[in-house]
Amino acid sequence: QGAGGVKHVHEEESEDHVLSIVGSVNGVIVSVALMPGPVPNNEAEYNAETNYMWNDAVEMAQKHQAHLLVAVLPEENDHSTHLEAGKILVKLCDAAFTSGNVLGVNTAGTVLEPAFYHENALAMQEGLLPILNWVYLGLCLSEKEERCGYTFGLDVFNKDNIEVINTAAEPVEVRDFLFNIVSYILSSDITLHDGETIGYSEAMKLPITRSPGC
């Protein structure tokens, strides 16, 4: 998946053997740096514990010996440029998989399986957003043993993260609901407001409350 619209690329190597590439793509500054050691402070191993969809996440994170630090910075602070930056980030990370040596992708507070990341990256070829490569959809239980769900990563797009609190819905239903709402927010540049309602139909009107996160 080519990024396209490349204006310039600069490559340099520092004294500590960190190889970095910096450039500009479609109004987005991009940087890729090869770091010759594991992610500091055991961050990758810690984040891997949150991936309930990949049993080997922690084991793979523990094996990594070096990492690529990939960053994007939109030159304009508008929603469309932020989406473009997100797409370029996914394309850059997905391109790294061609080496065959990638154990996982440390992003959005979790560590994603390369095959899973690649599958979601391919969604862009169908005009879809790679939501699950951008936003983590978390599941947990409240003190009352009721199901809750939450997102992590929407703030990168200048959107509030979402929580579903104390529901009797099944975990897959909570996750699907969060996915659909996140897709709606990002694809249509929607901001949810306190006191409004949201749902799939006229009959489903779930109240929205803006509050500090749990």
Side-chain angles (χ1 to χ4, degrees), residues 37-71:
V39 178
N41 302 318
N42 295 318
E43 178 188 303
E45 293 86 341
Y46 177 80
N47 286 346
E49 294 178 358
T50 68
N51 192 337
Y52 51 86
M53 299 180 64
W54 186 23
N55 293 333
D56 297 330
V58 175
E59 179 184 352
M60 291 297 103
Q62 291 172 339
K63 290 181 177 181
H64 83 285
Q65 300 297 314
H67 64 284
L68 284 176
L69 184 60
V70 184

PDB file of all heavy atoms in Angstrom, residues 37-71:
ATOM      1  N   GLY A  37      16.783  -1.555  20.739  1.00  0.00           N
ATOM      2  CA  GLY A  37      16.484  -2.227  22.001  1.00  0.00           C
ATOM      3  C   GLY A  37      14.988  -2.365  22.182  1.00  0.00           C
ATOM      4  O   GLY A  37      14.192  -1.821  21.414  1.00  0.00           O
ATOM      5  N   PRO A  38      14.554  -3.079  23.223  1.00  0.00           N
ATOM      6  CA  PRO A  38      13.121  -3.243  23.488  1.00  0.00           C
ATOM      7  C   PRO A  38      12.459  -1.915  23.838  1.00  0.00           C
ATOM      8  O   PRO A  38      13.127  -0.945  24.207  1.00  0.00           O
ATOM      9  CB  PRO A  38      13.091  -4.213  24.681  1.00  0.00           C
ATOM     10  CG  PRO A  38      14.425  -4.889  24.676  1.00  0.00           C
ATOM     11  CD  PRO A  38      15.387  -3.874  24.145  1.00  0.00           C
ATOM     12  N   VAL A  39      11.132  -1.881  23.768  1.00  0.00           N
ATOM     13  CA  VAL A  39      10.370  -0.705  24.198  1.00  0.00           C
ATOM     14  C   VAL A  39      10.643  -0.489  25.683  1.00  0.00           C
ATOM     15  O   VAL A  39      10.568  -1.440  26.471  1.00  0.00           O
ATOM     16  CB  VAL A  39       8.864  -0.920  23.950  1.00  0.00           C
ATOM     17  CG1 VAL A  39       8.077   0.279  24.442  1.00  0.00           C
ATOM     18  CG2 VAL A  39       8.594  -1.175  22.473  1.00  0.00           C
ATOM     19  N   PRO A  40      10.997   0.740  26.093  1.00  0.00           N
ATOM     20  CA  PRO A  40      11.385   0.988  27.498  1.00  0.00           C
ATOM     21  C   PRO A  40      10.271   0.666  28.495  1.00  0.00           C
ATOM     22  O   PRO A  40       9.087   0.682  28.179  1.00  0.00           O
ATOM     23  CB  PRO A  40      11.707   2.485  27.501  1.00  0.00           C
ATOM     24  CG  PRO A  40      12.023   2.821  26.087  1.00  0.00           C
ATOM     25  CD  PRO A  40      11.136   1.939  25.253  1.00  0.00           C
ATOM     26  N   ASN A  41      10.709   0.395  29.723  1.00  0.00           N
ATOM     27  CA  ASN A  41       9.831   0.225  30.887  1.00  0.00           C
ATOM     28  C   ASN A  41       8.813  -0.910  30.735  1.00  0.00           C
ATOM     29  O   ASN A  41       7.729  -0.862  31.325  1.00  0.00           O
ATOM     30  CB  ASN A  41       9.090   1.538  31.189  1.00  0.00           C
ATOM     31  CG  ASN A  41      10.033   2.696  31.436  1.00  0.00           C
ATOM     32  OD1 ASN A  41      11.050   2.549  32.115  1.00  0.00           O
ATOM     33  ND2 ASN A  41       9.718   3.849  30.855  1.00  0.00           N
ATOM     34  N   ASN A  42       9.166  -1.909  29.924  1.00  0.00           N
ATOM     35  CA  ASN A  42       8.275  -3.064  29.722  1.00  0.00           C
ATOM     36  C   ASN A  42       6.880  -2.659  29.231  1.00  0.00           C
ATOM     37  O   ASN A  42       5.897  -3.356  29.493  1.00  0.00           O
ATOM     38  CB  ASN A  42       8.143  -3.875  31.012  1.00  0.00           C
ATOM     39  CG  ASN A  42       9.446  -4.521  31.427  1.00  0.00           C
ATOM     40  OD1 ASN A  42      10.179  -5.053  30.596  1.00  0.00           O
ATOM     41  ND2 ASN A  42       9.748  -4.466  32.711  1.00  0.00           N
ATOM     42  N   GLU A  43       6.829  -1.545  28.512  1.00  0.00           N
ATOM     43  CA  GLU A  43       5.527  -1.045  28.054  1.00  0.00           C
ATOM     44  C   GLU A  43       4.828  -2.039  27.135  1.00  0.00           C
ATOM     45  O   GLU A  43       3.619  -2.257  27.249  1.00  0.00           O
ATOM     46  CB  GLU A  43       5.699   0.288  27.324  1.00  0.00           C
ATOM     47  CG  GLU A  43       4.401   0.856  26.767  1.00  0.00           C
ATOM     48  CD  GLU A  43       4.617   2.066  25.888  1.00  0.00           C
ATOM     49  OE1 GLU A  43       5.217   3.052  26.380  1.00  0.00           O
ATOM     50  OE2 GLU A  43       4.187   2.027  24.714  1.00  0.00           O
ATOM     51  N   ALA A  44       5.571  -2.648  26.227  1.00  0.00           N
ATOM     52  CA  ALA A  44       4.958  -3.585  25.273  1.00  0.00           C
ATOM     53  C   ALA A  44       4.362  -4.786  26.004  1.00  0.00           C
ATOM     54  O   ALA A  44       3.243  -5.216  25.708  1.00  0.00           O
ATOM     55  CB  ALA A  44       5.984  -4.036  24.236  1.00  0.00           C
ATOM     56  N   GLU A  45       5.110  -5.342  26.958  1.00  0.00           N
ATOM     57  CA  GLU A  45       4.616  -6.494  27.708  1.00  0.00           C
ATOM     58  C   GLU A  45       3.371  -6.126  28.518  1.00  0.00           C
ATOM     59  O   GLU A  45       2.413  -6.915  28.598  1.00  0.00           O
ATOM     60  CB  GLU A  45       5.708  -7.025  28.642  1.00  0.00           C
ATOM     61  CG  GLU A  45       6.897  -7.632  27.914  1.00  0.00           C
ATOM     62  CD  GLU A  45       7.964  -6.611  27.514  1.00  0.00           C
ATOM     63  OE1 GLU A  45       7.647  -5.388  27.473  1.00  0.00           O
ATOM     64  OE2 GLU A  45       9.082  -7.017  27.227  1.00  0.00           O
ATOM     65  N   TYR A  46       3.395  -4.948  29.123  1.00  0.00           N
ATOM     66  CA  TYR A  46       2.248  -4.481  29.920  1.00  0.00           C
ATOM     67  C   TYR A  46       1.017  -4.292  29.031  1.00  0.00           C
ATOM     68  O   TYR A  46      -0.084  -4.742  29.359  1.00  0.00           O
ATOM     69  CB  TYR A  46       2.609  -3.178  30.620  1.00  0.00           C
ATOM     70  CG  TYR A  46       1.483  -2.557  31.407  1.00  0.00           C
ATOM     71  CD1 TYR A  46       1.152  -3.023  32.674  1.00  0.00           C
ATOM     72  CD2 TYR A  46       0.750  -1.486  30.880  1.00  0.00           C
ATOM     73  CE1 TYR A  46       0.119  -2.454  33.398  1.00  0.00           C
ATOM     74  CE2 TYR A  46      -0.289  -0.917  31.593  1.00  0.00           C
ATOM     75  CZ  TYR A  46      -0.602  -1.399  32.850  1.00  0.00           C
ATOM     76  OH  TYR A  46      -1.634  -0.832  33.562  1.00  0.00           O
ATOM     77  N   ASN A  47       1.186  -3.627  27.898  1.00  0.00           N
ATOM     78  CA  ASN A  47       0.063  -3.382  27.000  1.00  0.00           C
ATOM     79  C   ASN A  47      -0.475  -4.678  26.397  1.00  0.00           C
ATOM     80  O   ASN A  47      -1.675  -4.805  26.138  1.00  0.00           O
ATOM     81  CB  ASN A  47       0.479  -2.421  25.885  1.00  0.00           C
ATOM     82  CG  ASN A  47       0.612  -0.991  26.354  1.00  0.00           C
ATOM     83  OD1 ASN A  47       0.144  -0.645  27.444  1.00  0.00           O
ATOM     84  ND2 ASN A  47       1.241  -0.147  25.557  1.00  0.00           N
ATOM     85  N   ALA A  48       0.419  -5.639  26.174  1.00  0.00           N
ATOM     86  CA  ALA A  48       0.000  -6.907  25.568  1.00  0.00           C
ATOM     87  C   ALA A  48      -1.020  -7.633  26.434  1.00  0.00           C
ATOM     88  O   ALA A  48      -1.841  -8.411  25.935  1.00  0.00           O
ATOM     89  CB  ALA A  48       1.215  -7.795  25.321  1.00  0.00           C
ATOM     90  N   GLU A  49      -1.003  -7.387  27.731  1.00  0.00           N
ATOM     91  CA  GLU A  49      -1.928  -8.057  28.638  1.00  0.00           C
ATOM     92  C   GLU A  49      -3.383  -7.663  28.382  1.00  0.00           C
ATOM     93  O   GLU A  49      -4.303  -8.375  28.785  1.00  0.00           O
ATOM     94  CB  GLU A  49      -1.559  -7.744  30.081  1.00  0.00           C
ATOM     95  CG  GLU A  49      -0.209  -8.323  30.509  1.00  0.00           C
ATOM     96  CD  GLU A  49       0.145  -7.957  31.937  1.00  0.00           C
ATOM     97  OE1 GLU A  49      -0.642  -7.234  32.576  1.00  0.00           O
ATOM     98  OE2 GLU A  49       1.212  -8.406  32.413  1.00  0.00           O
ATOM     99  N   THR A  50      -3.607  -6.551  27.701  1.00  0.00           N
ATOM    100  CA  THR A  50      -4.976  -6.091  27.461  1.00  0.00           C
ATOM    101  C   THR A  50      -5.614  -6.737  26.242  1.00  0.00           C
ATOM    102  O   THR A  50      -6.823  -6.606  26.040  1.00  0.00           O
ATOM    103  CB  THR A  50      -5.019  -4.559  27.265  1.00  0.00           C
ATOM    104  OG1 THR A  50      -4.375  -4.214  26.032  1.00  0.00           O
ATOM    105  CG2 THR A  50      -4.339  -3.837  28.418  1.00  0.00           C
ATOM    106  N   ASN A  51      -4.824  -7.442  25.421  1.00  0.00           N
ATOM    107  CA  ASN A  51      -5.385  -8.005  24.185  1.00  0.00           C
ATOM    108  C   ASN A  51      -6.052  -9.345  24.480  1.00  0.00           C
ATOM    109  O   ASN A  51      -5.402 -10.397  24.490  1.00  0.00           O
ATOM    110  CB  ASN A  51      -4.302  -8.173  23.119  1.00  0.00           C
ATOM    111  CG  ASN A  51      -4.902  -8.465  21.744  1.00  0.00           C
ATOM    112  OD1 ASN A  51      -6.025  -8.950  21.636  1.00  0.00           O
ATOM    113  ND2 ASN A  51      -4.165  -8.152  20.696  1.00  0.00           N
ATOM    114  N   TYR A  52      -7.363  -9.302  24.688  1.00  0.00           N
ATOM    115  CA  TYR A  52      -8.126 -10.507  25.003  1.00  0.00           C
ATOM    116  C   TYR A  52      -8.439 -11.333  23.755  1.00  0.00           C
ATOM    117  O   TYR A  52      -9.059 -12.393  23.851  1.00  0.00           O
ATOM    118  CB  TYR A  52      -9.431 -10.125  25.705  1.00  0.00           C
ATOM    119  CG  TYR A  52     -10.249  -9.066  24.992  1.00  0.00           C
ATOM    120  CD1 TYR A  52     -11.160  -9.407  23.997  1.00  0.00           C
ATOM    121  CD2 TYR A  52     -10.099  -7.714  25.311  1.00  0.00           C
ATOM    122  CE1 TYR A  52     -11.899  -8.438  23.329  1.00  0.00           C
ATOM    123  CE2 TYR A  52     -10.838  -6.736  24.657  1.00  0.00           C
ATOM    124  CZ  TYR A  52     -11.734  -7.103  23.677  1.00  0.00           C
ATOM    125  OH  TYR A  52     -12.462  -6.129  23.012  1.00  0.00           O
ATOM    126  N   MET A  53      -8.013 -10.856  22.583  1.00  0.00           N
ATOM    127  CA  MET A  53      -8.274 -11.578  21.337  1.00  0.00           C
ATOM    128  C   MET A  53      -7.043 -12.327  20.816  1.00  0.00           C
ATOM    129  O   MET A  53      -7.104 -12.987  19.791  1.00  0.00           O
ATOM    130  CB  MET A  53      -8.776 -10.604  20.267  1.00  0.00           C
ATOM    131  CG  MET A  53     -10.066  -9.903  20.627  1.00  0.00           C
ATOM    132  SD  MET A  53     -10.617  -8.764  19.332  1.00  0.00           S
ATOM    133  CE  MET A  53     -10.924  -9.897  17.977  1.00  0.00           C
ATOM    134  N   TRP A  54      -5.918 -12.229  21.512  1.00  0.00           N
ATOM    135  CA  TRP A  54      -4.674 -12.855  21.058  1.00  0.00           C
ATOM    136  C   TRP A  54      -3.977 -13.487  22.252  1.00  0.00           C
ATOM    137  O   TRP A  54      -3.362 -12.798  23.063  1.00  0.00           O
ATOM    138  CB  TRP A  54      -3.780 -11.812  20.393  1.00  0.00           C
ATOM    139  CG  TRP A  54      -2.533 -12.353  19.770  1.00  0.00           C
ATOM    140  CD1 TRP A  54      -2.304 -13.626  19.346  1.00  0.00           C
ATOM    141  CD2 TRP A  54      -1.328 -11.621  19.492  1.00  0.00           C
ATOM    142  NE1 TRP A  54      -1.050 -13.754  18.826  1.00  0.00           N
ATOM    143  CE2 TRP A  54      -0.420 -12.541  18.892  1.00  0.00           C
ATOM    144  CE3 TRP A  54      -0.941 -10.298  19.672  1.00  0.00           C
ATOM    145  CZ2 TRP A  54       0.852 -12.158  18.492  1.00  0.00           C
ATOM    146  CZ3 TRP A  54       0.327  -9.919  19.271  1.00  0.00           C
ATOM    147  CH2 TRP A  54       1.213 -10.832  18.676  1.00  0.00           C
ATOM    148  N   ASN A  55      -4.060 -14.782  22.360  1.00  0.00           N
ATOM    149  CA  ASN A  55      -3.521 -15.494  23.517  1.00  0.00           C
ATOM    150  C   ASN A  55      -2.006 -15.378  23.639  1.00  0.00           C
ATOM    151  O   ASN A  55      -1.463 -15.464  24.744  1.00  0.00           O
ATOM    152  CB  ASN A  55      -3.912 -16.977  23.459  1.00  0.00           C
ATOM    153  CG  ASN A  55      -5.399 -17.193  23.635  1.00  0.00           C
ATOM    154  OD1 ASN A  55      -6.089 -16.399  24.272  1.00  0.00           O
ATOM    155  ND2 ASN A  55      -5.916 -18.274  23.063  1.00  0.00           N
ATOM    156  N   ASP A  56      -1.316 -15.202  22.524  1.00  0.00           N
ATOM    157  CA  ASP A  56       0.149 -15.167  22.528  1.00  0.00           C
ATOM    158  C   ASP A  56       0.714 -13.755  22.616  1.00  0.00           C
ATOM    159  O   ASP A  56       1.926 -13.564  22.430  1.00  0.00           O
ATOM    160  CB  ASP A  56       0.693 -15.844  21.263  1.00  0.00           C
ATOM    161  CG  ASP A  56       0.326 -17.314  21.191  1.00  0.00           C
ATOM    162  OD1 ASP A  56       0.190 -17.937  22.260  1.00  0.00           O
ATOM    163  OD2 ASP A  56       0.170 -17.830  20.072  1.00  0.00           O
ATOM    164  N   ALA A  57      -0.130 -12.775  22.896  1.00  0.00           N
ATOM    165  CA  ALA A  57       0.324 -11.380  22.861  1.00  0.00           C
ATOM    166  C   ALA A  57       1.477 -11.113  23.826  1.00  0.00           C
ATOM    167  O   ALA A  57       2.507 -10.535  23.454  1.00  0.00           O
ATOM    168  CB  ALA A  57      -0.844 -10.446  23.167  1.00  0.00           C
ATOM    169  N   VAL A  58       1.345 -11.547  25.063  1.00  0.00           N
ATOM    170  CA  VAL A  58       2.392 -11.283  26.057  1.00  0.00           C
ATOM    171  C   VAL A  58       3.676 -12.029  25.699  1.00  0.00           C
ATOM    172  O   VAL A  58       4.778 -11.474  25.767  1.00  0.00           O
ATOM    173  CB  VAL A  58       1.916 -11.684  27.464  1.00  0.00           C
ATOM    174  CG1 VAL A  58       3.049 -11.530  28.473  1.00  0.00           C
ATOM    175  CG2 VAL A  58       0.729 -10.820  27.890  1.00  0.00           C
ATOM    176  N   GLU A  59       3.547 -13.274  25.295  1.00  0.00           N
ATOM    177  CA  GLU A  59       4.717 -14.079  24.921  1.00  0.00           C
ATOM    178  C   GLU A  59       5.477 -13.438  23.767  1.00  0.00           C
ATOM    179  O   GLU A  59       6.713 -13.364  23.785  1.00  0.00           O
ATOM    180  CB  GLU A  59       4.285 -15.484  24.536  1.00  0.00           C
ATOM    181  CG  GLU A  59       5.432 -16.394  24.118  1.00  0.00           C
ATOM    182  CD  GLU A  59       4.968 -17.756  23.659  1.00  0.00           C
ATOM    183  OE1 GLU A  59       3.764 -18.056  23.797  1.00  0.00           O
ATOM    184  OE2 GLU A  59       5.803 -18.529  23.158  1.00  0.00           O
ATOM    185  N   MET A  60       4.767 -12.969  22.768  1.00  0.00           N
ATOM    186  CA  MET A  60       5.414 -12.333  21.620  1.00  0.00           C
ATOM    187  C   MET A  60       6.086 -11.030  22.036  1.00  0.00           C
ATOM    188  O   MET A  60       7.203 -10.719  21.592  1.00  0.00           O
ATOM    189  CB  MET A  60       4.388 -12.067  20.518  1.00  0.00           C
ATOM    190  CG  MET A  60       3.853 -13.308  19.830  1.00  0.00           C
ATOM    191  SD  MET A  60       5.127 -14.266  18.942  1.00  0.00           S
ATOM    192  CE  MET A  60       5.381 -15.616  20.112  1.00  0.00           C
ATOM    193  N   ALA A  61       5.415 -10.252  22.894  1.00  0.00           N
ATOM    194  CA  ALA A  61       5.990  -8.985  23.340  1.00  0.00           C
ATOM    195  C   ALA A  61       7.281  -9.218  24.125  1.00  0.00           C
ATOM    196  O   ALA A  61       8.240  -8.440  24.019  1.00  0.00           O
ATOM    197  CB  ALA A  61       4.977  -8.229  24.185  1.00  0.00           C
ATOM    198  N   GLN A  62       7.322 -10.280  24.891  1.00  0.00           N
ATOM    199  CA  GLN A  62       8.511 -10.585  25.686  1.00  0.00           C
ATOM    200  C   GLN A  62       9.705 -10.959  24.818  1.00  0.00           C
ATOM    201  O   GLN A  62      10.848 -10.835  25.252  1.00  0.00           O
ATOM    202  CB  GLN A  62       8.195 -11.719  26.656  1.00  0.00           C
ATOM    203  CG  GLN A  62       7.235 -11.337  27.776  1.00  0.00           C
ATOM    204  CD  GLN A  62       6.792 -12.527  28.600  1.00  0.00           C
ATOM    205  OE1 GLN A  62       6.872 -13.678  28.150  1.00  0.00           O
ATOM    206  NE2 GLN A  62       6.307 -12.267  29.810  1.00  0.00           N
ATOM    207  N   LYS A  63       9.467 -11.390  23.606  1.00  0.00           N
ATOM    208  CA  LYS A  63      10.541 -11.854  22.734  1.00  0.00           C
ATOM    209  C   LYS A  63      11.223 -10.724  21.966  1.00  0.00           C
ATOM    210  O   LYS A  63      12.313 -10.932  21.411  1.00  0.00           O
ATOM    211  CB  LYS A  63       9.993 -12.881  21.728  1.00  0.00           C
ATOM    212  CG  LYS A  63       9.601 -14.212  22.344  1.00  0.00           C
ATOM    213  CD  LYS A  63       9.095 -15.166  21.261  1.00  0.00           C
ATOM    214  CE  LYS A  63       8.762 -16.529  21.831  1.00  0.00           C
ATOM    215  NZ  LYS A  63       8.281 -17.483  20.788  1.00  0.00           N
ATOM    216  N   HIS A  64      10.606  -9.553  21.889  1.00  0.00           N
ATOM    217  CA  HIS A  64      11.150  -8.540  20.980  1.00  0.00           C
ATOM    218  C   HIS A  64      12.488  -7.995  21.484  1.00  0.00           C
ATOM    219  O   HIS A  64      12.693  -7.797  22.678  1.00  0.00           O
ATOM    220  CB  HIS A  64      10.124  -7.429  20.728  1.00  0.00           C
ATOM    221  CG  HIS A  64      10.082  -6.357  21.776  1.00  0.00           C
ATOM    222  ND1 HIS A  64       9.520  -6.536  23.022  1.00  0.00           N
ATOM    223  CD2 HIS A  64      10.515  -5.060  21.735  1.00  0.00           C
ATOM    224  CE1 HIS A  64       9.611  -5.418  23.709  1.00  0.00           C
ATOM    225  NE2 HIS A  64      10.220  -4.501  22.964  1.00  0.00           N
ATOM    226  N   GLN A  65      13.409  -7.764  20.548  1.00  0.00           N
ATOM    227  CA  GLN A  65      14.768  -7.313  20.842  1.00  0.00           C
ATOM    228  C   GLN A  65      15.023  -5.879  20.396  1.00  0.00           C
ATOM    229  O   GLN A  65      15.984  -5.246  20.832  1.00  0.00           O
ATOM    230  CB  GLN A  65      15.775  -8.240  20.146  1.00  0.00           C
ATOM    231  CG  GLN A  65      15.670  -9.699  20.576  1.00  0.00           C
ATOM    232  CD  GLN A  65      15.989  -9.896  22.041  1.00  0.00           C
ATOM    233  OE1 GLN A  65      16.977  -9.358  22.541  1.00  0.00           O
ATOM    234  NE2 GLN A  65      15.161 -10.672  22.738  1.00  0.00           N
ATOM    235  N   ALA A  66      14.195  -5.387  19.489  1.00  0.00           N
ATOM    236  CA  ALA A  66      14.319  -4.018  18.976  1.00  0.00           C
ATOM    237  C   ALA A  66      12.928  -3.586  18.526  1.00  0.00           C
ATOM    238  O   ALA A  66      11.996  -4.381  18.525  1.00  0.00           O
ATOM    239  CB  ALA A  66      15.305  -3.955  17.814  1.00  0.00           C
ATOM    240  N   HIS A  67      12.783  -2.310  18.174  1.00  0.00           N
ATOM    241  CA  HIS A  67      11.464  -1.872  17.723  1.00  0.00           C
ATOM    242  C   HIS A  67      11.574  -0.682  16.778  1.00  0.00           C
ATOM    243  O   HIS A  67      12.547   0.078  16.818  1.00  0.00           O
ATOM    244  CB  HIS A  67      10.564  -1.519  18.908  1.00  0.00           C
ATOM    245  CG  HIS A  67      11.028  -0.344  19.730  1.00  0.00           C
ATOM    246  ND1 HIS A  67      12.074  -0.423  20.627  1.00  0.00           N
ATOM    247  CD2 HIS A  67      10.577   0.940  19.789  1.00  0.00           C
ATOM    248  CE1 HIS A  67      12.259   0.740  21.213  1.00  0.00           C
ATOM    249  NE2 HIS A  67      11.365   1.596  20.714  1.00  0.00           N
ATOM    250  N   LEU A  68      10.568  -0.577  15.924  1.00  0.00           N
ATOM    251  CA  LEU A  68      10.424   0.598  15.067  1.00  0.00           C
ATOM    252  C   LEU A  68       9.511   1.597  15.760  1.00  0.00           C
ATOM    253  O   LEU A  68       8.419   1.240  16.207  1.00  0.00           O
ATOM    254  CB  LEU A  68       9.810   0.221  13.717  1.00  0.00           C
ATOM    255  CG  LEU A  68      10.689  -0.479  12.682  1.00  0.00           C
ATOM    256  CD1 LEU A  68       9.858  -0.847  11.462  1.00  0.00           C
ATOM    257  CD2 LEU A  68      11.851   0.417  12.261  1.00  0.00           C
ATOM    258  N   LEU A  69       9.956   2.832  15.842  1.00  0.00           N
ATOM    259  CA  LEU A  69       9.138   3.902  16.400  1.00  0.00           C
ATOM    260  C   LEU A  69       8.568   4.699  15.223  1.00  0.00           C
ATOM    261  O   LEU A  69       9.298   5.407  14.536  1.00  0.00           O
ATOM    262  CB  LEU A  69       9.977   4.798  17.307  1.00  0.00           C
ATOM    263  CG  LEU A  69       9.241   5.924  18.041  1.00  0.00           C
ATOM    264  CD1 LEU A  69       8.162   5.354  18.950  1.00  0.00           C
ATOM    265  CD2 LEU A  69      10.223   6.760  18.837  1.00  0.00           C
ATOM    266  N   VAL A  70       7.278   4.542  14.980  1.00  0.00           N
ATOM    267  CA  VAL A  70       6.616   5.178  13.838  1.00  0.00           C
ATOM    268  C   VAL A  70       5.707   6.289  14.352  1.00  0.00           C
ATOM    269  O   VAL A  70       4.865   6.056  15.233  1.00  0.00           O
ATOM    270  CB  VAL A  70       5.785   4.150  13.040  1.00  0.00           C
ATOM    271  CG1 VAL A  70       5.175   4.803  11.799  1.00  0.00           C
ATOM    272  CG2 VAL A  70       6.643   2.958  12.648  1.00  0.00           C
ATOM    273  N   ALA A  71       5.873   7.490  13.809  1.00  0.00           N
ATOM    274  CA  ALA A  71       5.068   8.635  14.265  1.00  0.00           C
ATOM    275  C   ALA A  71       4.588   9.442  13.071  1.00  0.00           C
ATOM    276  O   ALA A  71       5.264   9.520  12.042  1.00  0.00           O
ATOM    277  CB  ALA A  71       5.889   9.517  15.203  1.00  0.00           C
TER     278      ALA A  71
END
